[in-house]
Amino acid sequence: MAPQIPEKQWAQVIEKTGGPIDYKQIPVPKPGPDQVLINIKYSGVCHTDLHALNGDWPLDTKLPLVGGHEGAGIVVARGELVKDVEIGDHAGVKWLNSSCLACDFCMQMDEPLCPKAQLSGYTVDGTFQQYCVANAAHVARIPKDVPLDAIAPVLCAGITVYKGLKESGARPGQTVAIVGAGGGLGSLACQYAKAMGLNIIAIDAGEDKKKMCEELGASSFVDFATSSNVVKDVQSKTEDGFGPHAVILVAVSEKPFQQASEYVRPRGTVVAIGLPAGAFLKAPVFETVIRCVTIKGSYVGNRKDTAEAIEFFRRGVIKAPFKVIGMSELQKVYDMMHEGNILGRYVVDTSK
């Protein structure tokens, strides 16, 4: 029997850039021919959602806008062209809501680079609502034995850091430094790095974050707030003193992006993932050239990366630290983000 779909639903809506967000009832959307409608049960809260609210990225947002792009739930309706997603399937809405599937990038599994890509919670309505539409080809397939609240943060944070680790080229037994290791992205990066057989240097600030990073698999921790020389301290944590083979930057401020090329080892790779508003990468040309340092960006993962990241989680080697809060209390999470007081990830329950 087909699920009962209401006409109205609760959502967190941004009416104007800078907010405030408005918790109110809006119509339930109807899926297009190639879309599915997902009853969102839980949605992770990402720093990107704060950027969407503040409008401080050089990318126009839809207004009014329902934010969110880490939504996990149950498929309740589908368009007439959808054949490979069934009603009742568990599925996730990711940052990449849709792409053309026909351009040069899409054909090379680089669909996040598609010029016609639509972004959940940014250019189209996202997952801070009880019912959300997404292109069926791009929804994440979630096994039914996986808890929907726990998998939600993996749908952006997990996939993104897993992709970044792959892009770094670091091999099992090598060392990776994770900058911003105590945050939502960093806490998952530590676990994926451990699952991929990498040694981890966690870089963040504070005893609480140190304790959490060590529990998640970091072999050493550098507190940038108390360190008198971050470059030397990071290099000293590697066996030969040359520095880590790769640096994963998931920090939310600019300075770490300027430092990373100084402590990565020769022929190492610096991977920028975090997106601090208005920030610039900077590296000395001479040292970058003679040390053969690679500096690159890594965006979100493709459909294959998504499936792999979820499989790591299903096998139990990834346990995203998260706290659940009612969707009506989303502003509290944004306030904590502003203050830098978040350990791990927050997940909103759309029923509360």
Side-chain angles (χ1 to χ4, degrees), residues 44-49 51 57 69-70 95 152-165 176-194 200-204 209 212-213 216 248-253 257 271-276 298-301 309 318-322 337 342-346:
V45 186
C46 177
H47 224 90
T48 297
D49 300 316
H51 289 296
W57 277 356
H69 57 274
E70 295 181 350
W95 174 243
V154 173
L155 298 175
C156 173
I159 296 165
T160 298
V161 297
Y162 173 64
K163 175 71 167 181
L165 287 161
V176 59
I178 299 171
V179 189
L185 285 164
S187 59
L188 282 160
C190 287
Q191 293 179 80
Y192 277 103
K194 182 181 178 183
I200 303 159
I201 301 170
I203 303 173
D204 215 311
K209 291 189 176 182
M212 185 180 78
C213 290
L216 295 177
I248 305 296
L249 289 161
V250 291
V252 295
S253 59
F257 288 77
V271 182
I273 297 175
L275 293 167
S298 180
Y299 192 27
V300 293
I318 307 296
K319 290 182 172 60
F322 71 96
M337 282 182 172
I342 289 185
L343 282 176
R345 207 75 165 174
Y346 269 84

Side-chain angles (χ1 to χ4, degrees), residues 11-351:
Q12 288 279 16
V13 183
I14 303 167
E15 298 286 354
K16 62 178 182 178
T17 299
I21 47 174
D22 188 7
Y23 184 61
K24 65 179 185 179
Q25 286 197 310
I26 62 172
V28 172
K30 291 181 169 50
D34 60 352
Q35 293 181 318
V36 292
L37 177 67
I38 298 175
N39 176 201
I40 302 293
K41 299 297 186 183
Y42 299 94
S43 180
V45 186
C46 177
H47 224 90
T48 297
D49 300 316
L50 189 57
H51 289 296
L53 173 64
N54 293 335
D56 56 9
W57 277 356
L59 177 65
D60 291 334
T61 57
K62 168 189 177 294
L63 285 174
L65 174 71
V66 176
H69 57 274
E70 295 181 350
I74 301 168
V75 177
V76 294
R78 65 180 189 175
E80 63 267 24
L81 299 180
V82 179
K83 305 299 180 189
D84 61 337
V85 181
E86 301 294 336
I87 305 299
D89 281 358
H90 289 193
V93 178
K94 308 172 297 176
W95 174 243
L96 186 65
N97 191 283
S98 68
S99 72
C100 76
L101 300 176
C103 69
D104 186 55
F105 298 109
C106 285
M107 288 193 289
Q108 295 184 72
M109 296 290 285
D110 262 336
E111 53 264 33
L113 303 181
C114 174
K116 295 181 181 178
Q118 294 293 327
L119 309 174
S120 302
Y122 213 95
T123 63
V124 296
D125 286 338
T127 56
F128 296 146
Q129 57 182 335
Q130 294 173 314
Y131 292 86
C132 181
V133 292
N135 184 282
H138 284 290
V139 296
R141 274 61 166 178
I142 300 174
K144 288 189 176 179
D145 59 346
V146 170
L148 292 174
D149 55 353
I151 195 66
V154 173
L155 298 175
C156 173
I159 296 165
T160 298
V161 297
Y162 173 64
K163 175 71 167 181
L165 287 161
K166 288 174 69 175
E167 289 279 350
S168 78
R171 299 190 299 275
Q174 293 184 334
T175 299
V176 59
I178 299 171
V179 189
L185 285 164
S187 59
L188 282 160
C190 287
Q191 293 179 80
Y192 277 103
K194 182 181 178 183
M196 295 165 77
L198 300 169
N199 297 316
I200 303 159
I201 301 170
I203 303 173
D204 215 311
E207 284 301 314
D208 287 346
K209 291 189 176 182
K210 178 183 179 185
K211 181 173 182 290
M212 185 180 78
C213 290
E214 289 172 346
E215 288 171 353
L216 295 177
S219 56
S220 54
F221 184 87
V222 173
D223 189 323
F224 68 81
T226 59
S227 170
S228 60
N229 191 322
V230 169
V231 171
K232 286 186 177 177
D233 285 349
V234 173
Q235 290 175 330
S236 72
K237 301 295 185 184
T238 58
E239 193 173 336
D240 55 12
F242 290 141
H245 298 81
V247 181
I248 305 296
L249 289 161
V250 291
V252 295
S253 59
E254 182 178 49
K255 189 175 180 181
F257 288 77
Q258 317 288 23
Q259 288 179 319
S261 67
E262 297 179 44
Y263 57 71
V264 73
R265 75 193 291 111
R267 204 168 283 287
T269 301
V270 176
V271 182
I273 297 175
L275 293 167
F280 284 86
L281 282 164
K282 184 180 177 183
V285 173
F286 184 83
E287 287 82 359
T288 301
V289 171
I290 65 167
R291 296 173 64 240
C292 299
V293 171
T294 299
I295 302 172
K296 65 196 299 188
S298 180
Y299 192 27
V300 293
N302 60 28
R303 287 169 288 169
K304 181 64 173 172
D305 299 320
T306 298
E308 292 172 356
I310 290 174
E311 176 59 15
F312 270 108
F313 185 90
R314 189 196 66 78
R315 284 164 41 197
V317 293
I318 307 296
K319 290 182 172 60
F322 71 96
K323 296 176 183 176
V324 176
I325 193 170
M327 186 170 69
S328 62
E329 300 179 278
L330 178 61
Q331 183 61 50
K332 290 182 181 178
V333 184
Y334 288 154
D335 292 342
M336 286 186 281
M337 282 182 172
H338 273 300
E339 295 159 7
N341 289 336
I342 289 185
L343 282 176
R345 207 75 165 174
Y346 269 84
V347 171
V348 296
D349 180 340
T350 64
S351 70

